Amino acid sequence: MTDLVFDATVWWTGCGRDGAGGVSTGGQEFEYSAPLSMGGRGIGTSPEELLVSAVASCYAGTLYHLLARDGLAADQVSVRAEASVSDYPSRRASFSRIVVHPTFSGADPSREAEYGRCARTAREHCFIGKALRSDIRYEVGDVVVQPPAHVHVEVE
C-alpha cells in the first residue's frame, strides 16, 4: 500500500484573534483569520470555514460518484454546509454539528427517494467526514432535486 501525502503551507502574524495569515495549497494562496463572529479580524476565510468546506467538498465528490454508480442523472451537485460551535466563548467551545444540504440540478424528480438514499450513503463514505471526532454530529439535511432546465426557443 502507498501512503498519500497532502501538503499545505500556512503562515500567521499577530497574537490570537488579532492576527491574520495565509494558506498556500494546490497552487493557490488565500488569506485567513479568526471570523468576526469570534472577535477576529474577519479577513478572508477562517479555519472554521476551511473545515466545513473540506467536509462539504469531500461529501459532494463522494455523492456525485454514488449517483453515477447508481445511474442517477445530475448535471451538478451543489452542497450548502453549516456547522455549529457549542459553548462559545468558553474554553470548552468546540464543533458540535455539521449539516450538509445537497441540491441535485438536472436530476429526475420521479427518483427523489433514490437521490435521498445516495445523499445519506455519501455521508457514510465521505473520507473527510469520517475523520471527524465521534462527538460531532454530521448529518444530511434538506435534499433538493431539480429537473433539467428546459430552454424554450421560439422559431419564427
Side-chain angles (χ1 to χ4, degrees):
M1 293 247 144
T2 302
D3 289 344
L4 299 175
V5 177
F6 299 93
D7 291 316
T9 300
V10 301
W11 56 95
W12 184 266
T13 58
C15 292
R17 293 185 183 126
D18 292 327
V23 176
S24 176
T25 187
Q28 299 185 29
E29 292 187 4
F30 49 94
E31 294 180 296
Y32 74 101
S33 68
L36 289 172
S37 63
M38 296 179 103
R41 294 175 64 186
I43 295 172
T45 189
S46 70
E48 296 79 9
E49 291 169 337
L50 290 170
L51 174 66
V52 175
S53 296
V55 170
S57 61
C58 182
Y59 173 81
T62 302
L63 180 53
Y64 207 88
H65 170 77
L66 292 174
L67 293 176
R69 179 198 72 184
D70 292 353
L72 293 168
D75 295 332
Q76 177 178 300
V77 171
S78 60
V79 176
R80 182 178 59 84
E82 58 190 14
S84 301
V85 172
S86 297
D87 295 324
Y88 184 79
S90 77
R91 291 185 179 265
R92 294 183 323 228
S94 64
F95 276 98
S96 57
R97 180 178 184 217
I98 296 176
V99 182
V100 291
H101 302 275
T103 297
F104 303 96
S105 299
D108 181 356
S110 70
R111 299 178 73 183
E112 187 169 351
E114 293 172 82
Y115 287 95
R117 274 193 298 281
C118 269
R120 290 184 296 280
T121 300
R123 181 201 157 280
E124 301 300 323
H125 292 274
C126 168
F127 183 72
I128 302 297
K130 290 190 305 184
L132 296 173
R133 291 188 336 257
S134 63
D135 61 338
I136 298 175
R137 290 182 9 224
Y138 172 32
E139 306 169 356
V140 177
D142 301 325
V143 174
V144 178
V145 178
Q146 299 173 331
H150 295 287
V151 178
H152 179 72
V153 178
E154 290 189 28
V155 179
E156 293 182 25

